Amino acid sequence: MSASKPKKSFKIEPFKHKVEMDPDYANNTWKVLEDAIHEIYNHNASGLSFEELYRSAYNMVLHKYGNKLYEGLTTTMTNQLQKVAGQIDAAQGDTFLEELNLKWLDHNKSLQMIRDILMYMDRTYVTNQNKVPVHELGLNLWRDAIVRNGRIRDRLLKTLLDLVHKERTGEVINRGLMRNVTKMFVDLGQTVYLEDFEKPFLDATADFYKAEAQQFISTSDCTDYLRKAEKRLNEEIERVAHYLDQKTESKLTTVVEREMIGNHMKLLVEMENSGLVSMLTNDKYEDLARMYNLFRRVPTGLQTVRDLMTSHLRETGKQLVTDPERQRDPVEFVQRLLDEKDKYDRLIAQSFGNDKTFQNALNSSFEFFINLNTRSPEFISLFVDDKLKKGLKGVSEEDVEGVLDKVMMLFRYLQEKDVFEKYYKQHLAKRLLSGRTVSDDAERSLIVKLKTECGYQFTSKLEGMFTDMKTSKDTMAAFQQKMVEEGNDSDISLQVQVLTTGSWPTQPGAKATLPPEILEQCDKFKNFYLSTHTGRRLSWQTNMGTADLRATFAHSRHELNVSTYQMCILLLFNNADALSYQEIQAATEIPVADLKRNLQSLACVKGRNVLRKEPVGKDVDEDDVFHFNDKFTNKLHKIKIGTVSAQKESEPEKQETRQKVEEDRKPQIEAAIVRIMKSRRLLDHNNIISEVTKQLQSRFLPNPAVIKKRIESLIEREFLERDKNDRRLYRYLA
Amino acid sequence: DFAFAYGNPSFSDRIIWLQGPEPVQDGDQAVVRKKVPVNSAIVAAKSLVFQNMLSNGMAETDKDRPVIVNVDSEQEERAVLEMLYFVYTGTFSTPCLDRGDRCEELVALLTVADKYGVAGMVA
């Protein structure tokens, strides 16, 4: 409120004063106030009467002497501060900053009192005349008279920067004093702080760390350097907390980061024997985390780290998958991949804060090198095969899931997913038929995972295989019961698995002549089966079965677990002690490759050699003669005779599978072409190629030449035609 | 709200001496006309001038000394007393409207309120 603004509209009489205005009134009153200001600066304020001074100033303003009061204040304070400047300037050496700080605190205190007694002027005259308020005026005068004083300015800055430098080189300084002085800059206004202090301070900082980085880099390895840089960074952050304005922190750290890290990034990560590659190789989690945290602070820092990590990963990965040594054992091969992946997963989690961009780099690197080896799909399937056959015994369910999940992750990197599928189906079939799958749950769990990755079409066939196995069990139970009922009990126990054509990997119709006693049982089953399932056709897949035989040798009796082919061979020796290769072949009609392989496993494997070969040798020849090995012994009663076959496919088999895969791709590519053309109607060659590739890339990468062939085939079959004017354009024919 | 404490020495830590000329002019000698016990916190809460006066390190900061307030006239004296009453109670001892015909009294009151920066007295 104000006396000059009453609510009612009557005129206010001039203030009545007992003492009429004499011309000296203003001068006298001002004199009182001026003396008081001097007294205040001289620390004699306690003797002054606030009421009197306030009243004096009040009266001056009221009597329109506001201007005189304000001008007088400005002059008096300016003079006062000039005196102070002289005192500060006269301070020797170290006392300079203390003197300045002391005078600054004095000035603040005095200014506070002066403002209080002139409060009425601040409220009315200053507001109405748009003058600078007393407090701010006091600060401005201090700024001009002291901080920007020609004799003080440079000395002050140098003193401050020297102190910071001292602290950076390990000396202890008076931080409280520093804080007071920087606080003074802040109090004088942001621009004063920024221009008179912060900017030169940051420049000095840059110079300091530029030199230090140079020195460190020539004397330290990467680990040490980063440790020092981290320490420096923390020191600077602490420095801000201790005696700088909070807003300086980001600017200061930017300077340090730029000088210490940003300008030397490449040099650091590529340092021999201590850079990124060395850290990665030696699992230096802590160092890597430090590198990540420091490099994250500078532009393109993480990119630098990521790029080098990627190229290193690709290089080592390439070596891993193309090293012929490693490809001997597919299980070991895949295990190595998994170990590598684990290593980097752990590393990214522990050191790189699970940074998504690093995870992506890891994934793309794996994708890159896994597909460098065309056998990766086969090996991965073999790995699963191995795990499901034996590796998972005594392992908890969660661990099984873990292994399967990891395998699926590798699977996702594969470009030729259809090749994997092909192998997986083959391996699964073998597992099921030989009864060697350990855990039904694990098998099914993997199929569920495959379903999400490959789609229902693929897994429905796999599921069909499981269904067949179950149905066969029931069928066999019924068959055996019937045999018992009919009194047809035989000492041969036949187990038949009825497999649905199409669900199982197609087998070449490898025929073999079964021994008559077996054949009899087989026919009985055939009759039984067809009597309940009319209209079906059964054909025997002799290449996939197994048999348990009881064999009597000179010294022992054994139960032999052999393949159907081996059974056929061995049963021949019931009637003969020696047979030539040719005779065996004639009697069994087993395909040459299979026969040789089976004979090899019966005669050439130590501890399993129930047959004796003449001449002795590792390989089976067409002129060889085989004897029943009467002297065979083995500690075990039950003996499993495997088939000598490389776990992984031989070169011709590989070619065959490859061919099958290519064959299977044809209809898929055609279907994709038709789908695309049906919706687009008219499209040029390059676009078709790219769209087909896009559609199919989740399963495999189609070869453009193959796509072109398929297009030509479709043109031949009049699904498409070439445009008459532009030969590169194809048109869909409905 | 602090009406109970108004003029009550039990709730006062300072004494305001209203000092001014005698009704009859007696040279320049100022005379203490009234002594009002006040609570420094209550007064300071309502008037920034009193707040600074009682705390900024000058003579009035000394708690053992009376707080001398000079007035130039009886009218101003009444106005200061009325202001102190207002500071404690938030109202006036005499309703505003009753003063309506006494314009000068009202003006003096407003002037004092302005001088000591007591907000809320105008409304």
Side-chain angles (χ1 to χ4, degrees):
Chain A
M1 69 160 274
S2 161
S4 56
K5 282 191 271 170
K7 281 196 134 182
K8 291 173 188 168
S9 58
F10 48 78
K11 185 148 169 49
I12 300 170
E13 294 173 38
F15 188 85
K16 286 187 179 163
H17 203 279
K18 283 275 154 55
V19 188
E20 279 308 310
M21 285 296 112
D22 67 71
D24 287 337
Y25 167 77
N27 285 334
N28 291 340
T29 313
W30 166 242
K31 187 81 181 58
V32 171
L33 286 166
E34 189 184 16
D35 287 347
I37 291 172
H38 285 304
E39 289 299 301
I40 287 170
Y41 273 105
N42 290 332
H43 306 280
N44 289 329
S46 62
L48 300 170
S49 160
F50 182 95
E51 196 267 349
E52 184 193 348
L53 297 170
Y54 179 81
R55 190 159 38 88
S56 301
Y58 168 78
N59 281 332
M60 276 188 83
V61 174
L62 212 61
H63 291 106
K64 309 283 179 222
Y65 290 109
N67 190 47
K68 182 180 174 67
L69 180 59
Y70 193 86
E71 293 303 323
L73 170 70
T74 310
T75 313
T76 309
M77 203 139 56
T78 306
N79 292 337
Q80 181 64 38
L81 289 179
Q82 258 149 19
K83 226 164 67 197
V84 170
Q87 289 165 350
I88 294 172
D89 185 37
Q92 296 297 308
D94 289 348
T95 58
F96 167 73
L97 206 58
E98 279 166 37
E99 182 68 15
L100 180 108
N101 180 42
L102 222 57
K103 295 292 182 207
W104 163 247
L105 296 179
D106 260 8
H107 176 64
N108 262 322
K109 220 165 165 183
S110 305
L111 187 57
Q112 171 84 23
M113 284 188 185
I114 293 167
R115 188 191 60 179
D116 286 350
I117 58 174
L118 299 182
M119 197 163 55
Y120 193 78
M121 178 182 78
D122 250 353
R123 244 177 62 206
T124 54
Y125 173 78
V126 167
T127 316
N128 294 338
Q129 304 290 315
N130 275 325
K131 296 275 184 184
V132 179
V134 174
H135 185 74
E136 205 182 324
L137 175 73
L139 294 181
N140 290 348
L141 291 178
W142 175 269
R143 176 193 65 202
D144 296 339
I146 313 288
V147 175
R148 290 185 175 164
N149 178 310
R151 300 175 58 86
I152 294 178
R153 184 181 196 149
D154 292 344
R155 188 176 171 195
L156 174 58
L157 184 62
K158 188 175 178 312
T159 309
L160 293 174
L161 295 182
D162 278 354
L163 282 173
V164 174
H165 185 84
K166 272 184 184 169
E167 201 183 37
R168 279 181 181 145
T169 49
E171 285 182 46
V172 176
I173 62 162
N174 185 345
R175 287 177 161 177
L177 185 58
M178 279 295 282
R179 184 180 40 236
N180 284 350
V181 177
T182 53
K183 175 90 168 33
M184 173 191 81
F185 280 107
V186 175
D187 287 348
L188 293 177
Q190 272 299 312
T191 50
V192 181
Y193 178 76
L194 294 181
E195 287 168 22
D196 293 58
F197 174 72
E198 191 185 76
K199 195 181 167 302
F201 166 73
L202 290 177
D203 289 346
T205 303
D207 289 345
F208 179 82
Y209 284 114
K210 195 188 293 284
E212 184 164 279
Q214 283 299 345
Q215 193 232 321
F216 280 178
I217 224 150
S218 58
T219 56
S220 315
D221 63 12
C222 184
T223 306
D224 267 354
Y225 184 96
L226 293 179
R227 228 176 252 149
K228 284 174 185 166
E230 186 186 43
K231 183 161 162 274
R232 280 307 199 184
L233 203 55
N234 289 336
E235 278 172 12
E236 293 302 328
I237 291 169
E238 215 178 296
R239 175 158 297 120
V240 174
H242 279 303
Y243 55 73
L244 297 175
D245 187 41
Q246 200 51 44
K247 287 197 210 72
T248 304
E249 186 180 304
S250 63
K251 299 178 206 170
L252 179 58
T253 51
T254 306
V255 169
V256 181
E257 286 151 13
R258 187 187 64 223
E259 296 301 334
M260 295 285 276
I261 305 294
N263 290 346
H264 306 289
M265 283 195 296
K266 268 219 135 8
L267 209 61
L268 286 169
V269 293
E270 286 171 2
M271 259 193 194
E272 216 154 315
N273 299 324
S274 69
L276 179 64
V277 170
S278 151
M279 291 177 187
L280 292 174
T281 319
N282 299 313
D283 294 326
K284 301 274 192 201
Y285 292 133
E286 205 187 312
D287 294 341
L288 286 166
R290 185 175 296 114
M291 179 180 274
Y292 178 83
N293 286 325
L294 287 173
F295 277 59
R296 183 173 52 174
R297 298 166 153 271
V298 295
T300 74
L302 285 188
Q303 198 188 320
T304 308
V305 176
R306 205 164 47 232
D307 288 352
L308 187 59
M309 182 188 87
T310 307
S311 66
H312 169 69
L313 248 175
R314 289 188 177 209
E315 194 46 49
T316 50
K318 193 174 162 184
Q319 275 169 22
L320 194 69
V321 300
T322 54
D323 180 1
E325 275 301 302
R326 301 229 177 277
Q327 298 184 34
R328 291 238 177 101
D329 183 354
V331 177
E332 173 69 17
F333 174 90
V334 175
Q335 190 58 52
R336 281 296 298 259
L337 289 179
L338 288 177
D339 290 349
E340 188 79 351
K341 180 71 168 47
D342 273 353
K343 171 192 165 98
Y344 277 91
D345 276 342
R346 208 158 42 231
L347 210 140
I348 288 173
Q350 293 201 4
S351 301
F352 299 158
N354 271 326
D355 189 317
K356 273 270 177 300
T357 61
F358 278 75
Q359 285 171 346
N360 291 343
L362 174 63
N363 288 337
S364 76
S365 301
F366 263 80
E367 207 174 309
F368 165 78
F369 65 72
I370 276 191
N371 289 300
L372 287 179
N373 186 338
T374 52
R375 307 202 71 169
S376 293
E378 183 191 349
F379 289 177
I380 292 172
S381 177
L382 277 171
F383 179 82
V384 177
D385 190 52
D386 181 70
K387 289 290 166 222
L388 290 174
K389 265 179 4 202
K390 56 181 186 211
L392 295 175
K393 270 181 214 159
V395 177
S396 78
E397 211 166 290
E398 289 89 65
D399 291 351
V400 174
E401 284 290 308
V403 171
L404 297 183
D405 280 336
K406 281 179 189 168
V407 171
M408 287 314 293
M409 172 198 70
L410 288 184
F411 166 78
R412 258 171 247 136
Y413 295 138
L414 292 176
Q415 264 159 14
E416 300 190 302
K417 295 195 170 59
D418 56 345
V419 178
F420 171 84
E421 289 171 6
K422 191 120 247 148
Y423 283 109
Y424 188 78
K425 207 161 146 187
Q426 273 174 26
H427 295 143
L428 174 63
K430 267 189 203 150
R431 278 203 299 282
L432 289 176
L433 293 177
S434 60
R436 291 193 57 189
T437 170
V438 179
S439 158
D440 234 32
D441 287 343
E443 292 278 5
R444 288 191 183 277
S445 156
L446 194 61
I447 286 178
V448 170
K449 290 182 205 307
L450 283 168
K451 192 185 245 166
T452 50
E453 297 291 333
C454 312
Y456 171 75
Q457 253 189 331
F458 172 61
T459 51
S460 67
K461 288 185 179 165
L462 302 185
E463 278 162 358
M465 288 160 76
F466 280 96
T467 316
D468 281 351
M469 294 304 291
K470 198 174 170 301
T471 319
S472 295
K473 221 186 209 167
D474 297 343
T475 312
M476 280 322 293
F479 172 65
Q480 262 147 18
Q481 201 186 351
K482 186 152 181 287
M483 290 295 107
V484 172
E485 277 167 16
E486 291 178 2
N488 252 334
D489 218 356
S490 162
D491 57 349
I492 297 170
S493 146
L494 182 72
Q495 284 284 340
V496 180
Q497 266 115 25
V498 183
L499 315 180
T500 314
T501 315
S503 292
W504 297 72
T506 43
Q507 295 290 337
K511 272 285 181 188
T513 312
L514 291 169
E517 54 266 54
I518 306 287
L519 208 54
E520 191 194 326
Q521 288 292 318
C522 289
D523 286 337
K524 277 187 191 157
F525 176 79
K526 202 166 176 175
N527 289 334
F528 163 79
Y529 186 80
L530 293 179
S531 70
T532 47
H533 300 85
T534 44
R536 294 200 186 173
R537 210 162 57 84
L538 285 180
S539 63
W540 299 102
Q541 300 282 332
T542 47
N543 56 339
M544 296 169 89
T546 59
D548 291 326
L549 301 176
R550 272 190 289 274
T552 313
F553 297 93
H555 303 291
S556 53
R557 292 163 60 90
H558 290 284
E559 200 166 294
L560 306 176
N561 177 267
V562 298
S563 70
T564 306
Y565 283 150
Q566 286 164 347
M567 172 196 74
C568 293
I569 297 165
L570 288 177
L571 286 184
L572 292 177
F573 286 88
N574 274 341
N575 306 317
D577 277 343
L579 289 166
S580 71
Y581 173 87
Q582 301 295 347
E583 283 171 315
I584 296 173
Q585 229 240 293
T588 59
E589 295 182 302
I590 299 171
V592 175
D594 287 326
L595 179 59
K596 282 191 178 172
R597 212 155 51 186
N598 281 299
L599 280 170
Q600 203 180 1
S601 29
L602 288 170
C604 305
V605 182
K606 205 160 175 274
R608 304 280 187 272
N609 50 336
V610 293
L611 294 183
R612 196 156 47 76
K613 185 172 85 79
E614 268 177 18
V616 181
K618 276 248 176 269
D619 296 307
V620 173
D621 249 339
E622 311 218 343
D623 304 326
D624 291 346
V625 177
F626 295 88
H627 299 266
F628 176 65
N629 184 7
D630 202 30
K631 299 190 185 72
F632 176 80
T633 55
N634 194 309
K635 279 184 293 200
L636 299 169
H637 177 64
K638 257 189 165 175
I639 299 165
K640 179 169 167 48
I641 298 179
T643 311
V644 174
S645 75
Q647 233 193 341
K648 57 180 188 173
E649 287 190 313
S650 62
E651 206 51 38
E653 280 174 319
K654 200 179 105 188
Q655 295 297 338
E656 202 183 306
T657 310
R658 190 78 221 168
Q659 212 169 355
K660 271 192 231 158
V661 168
E662 292 297 342
E663 216 42 60
D664 283 356
R665 283 181 184 179
K666 284 180 187 169
Q668 292 189 50
I669 295 173
E670 284 183 3
I673 297 171
V674 170
R675 266 198 306 275
I676 291 160
M677 290 308 292
K678 205 167 178 175
S679 65
R680 307 293 288 271
R681 296 276 146 189
L682 193 69
L683 209 60
D684 68 66
H685 184 75
N686 288 346
N687 270 320
I688 292 192
I689 302 278
S690 74
E691 289 220 15
V692 169
T693 311
K694 214 167 96 193
Q695 271 205 8
L696 294 173
Q697 71 184 1
S698 68
R699 311 220 352 111
F700 60 92
L701 269 188
N703 182 341
V706 176
I707 301 177
K708 188 161 180 284
K709 273 207 181 113
R710 289 301 99 208
I711 294 174
E712 278 158 7
S713 162
L714 287 168
I715 291 173
E716 242 167 63
R717 284 178 281 157
E718 299 188 336
F719 282 97
L720 306 174
E721 66 171 7
R722 282 184 198 276
D723 191 89
K724 289 178 187 64
N725 303 318
D726 188 345
R727 300 287 290 162
R728 287 181 307 116
L729 280 180
Y730 300 111
R731 190 185 304 282
Y732 180 70
L733 296 173
Chain B
D1 300 328
F2 291 109
F4 69 92
Y6 178 67
N8 186 336
S10 301
F11 296 106
S12 305
D13 55 348
R14 304 298 299 265
I15 293 178
I16 290 182
W17 285 9
L18 286 176
Q19 187 172 275
E22 283 283 316
V24 180
Q25 194 77 33
D26 186 17
D28 280 327
Q29 193 59 45
V31 173
V32 175
R33 301 163 57 89
K34 269 232 165 64
K35 296 180 181 178
V36 188
V38 294
N39 180 287
S40 53
I42 293 174
V43 180
K46 288 282 163 66
S47 161
L48 194 56
V49 175
F50 274 106
Q51 189 181 322
N52 290 335
M53 188 190 297
L54 298 177
S55 69
N56 91 338
M58 293 190 185
E60 289 87 341
T61 305
D62 183 349
K63 288 183 178 170
D64 296 331
R65 292 170 70 165
V67 181
I68 293 164
V69 172
N70 279 286
V71 291
D72 291 331
S73 61
E74 272 185 73
Q75 197 176 52
E76 192 182 352
E77 181 188 311
R78 280 196 299 277
V80 169
L81 290 171
E82 190 67 46
M83 177 184 79
L84 288 173
Y85 184 81
F86 179 85
V87 161
Y88 273 81
T89 62
T91 60
F92 300 103
S93 58
T94 321
C96 273
L97 287 179
D98 293 359
R99 260 189 274 249
D101 50 341
R102 284 189 291 163
C103 212
E104 283 187 20
E105 291 276 315
L106 193 60
V107 171
L109 199 54
L110 291 171
T111 308
V112 166
D114 174 51
K115 180 175 175 183
Y116 291 100
V118 179
M121 256 176 82
V122 183

